[in-house]
Structures are given as structure tokens and as C-alpha cells.
Amino acid sequence: MKPGMCSSIYIVLVVAIILSVSCRKMEQGSVPQLITAHAGIDQTIIMPTDSAVLDGSTSTGPIKSFHWITISGPVSSIILYTDSSKTL
């Protein structure tokens, strides 16, 4: 590489949130509750930062639990709190 040139490495990590919802028999005439998963805003990490907070606490509906999984990205990626509404 020539002096004064910089090198960039882009790593894309795709994370999904799985919601466990409370299922109840609906009474006649009732309206079903909409379940929406919100994992927070898209984030860009610029080195040397090496982590981001993922926040699913604004998800809506009869949610019983959360579970975060990595869909794609480096195998070295780690989700610290997989069963929490917020994780790192």
C-alpha cells in the first residue's frame, strides 16, 4: 500500500430478534394485538469501537420473552445477553 493511503475493512453483522408471545383464545368480536419487533436503529461501528447496544424493549404486543440470534457476519461475533430485551 502506498504511503498516505488508508485501508478499510467492512464487516456486516445481521442480527435478528425472536419474540415469544403470549397466545390467548380471542373472544368473539375482539381485535387481535399486533406484534411488532423493534431492534433499534441501524448502527455503524467505526473501529476501534467494537460493540453496539441492541434494544428490543420498544417491541409491541403480548411478548413473553426475547431471544437474539446472529443471521450472518463474522463467526467471532458474540451476543452477550441472548435472552434479554437489550443486549450488547
Side-chain angles (χ1 to χ4, degrees):
M1 185 181 311
K2 293 180 182 179
M5 300 285 292
C6 73
S7 173
S8 297
I9 298 174
Y10 297 95
I11 299 173
V12 176
L13 177 64
V14 179
V15 177
I17 182 173
I18 299 170
L19 303 174
S20 173
V21 297
S22 176
C23 297
R24 293 180 225 142
K25 184 177 179 182
M26 291 181 51
E27 295 182 25
Q28 187 174 357
S30 64
V31 177
Q33 270 191 294
L34 181 63
I35 300 164
T36 306
H38 295 284
I41 61 170
D42 291 346
Q43 299 179 53
T44 301
I45 298 172
I46 300 172
M47 298 307 271
T49 301
D50 62 357
S51 64
V53 175
L54 304 173
D55 186 354
S57 64
T58 60
S59 299
T60 61
I63 299 166
K64 292 186 346 184
S65 65
F66 293 83
H67 187 74
W68 295 91
I69 60 170
T70 302
I71 300 294
S72 67
V75 294
S76 60
S77 300
I78 298 171
I79 299 173
L80 290 183
Y81 310 106
T82 58
D83 295 323
S84 174
S85 65
K86 293 182 182 179
T87 190
L88 191 62

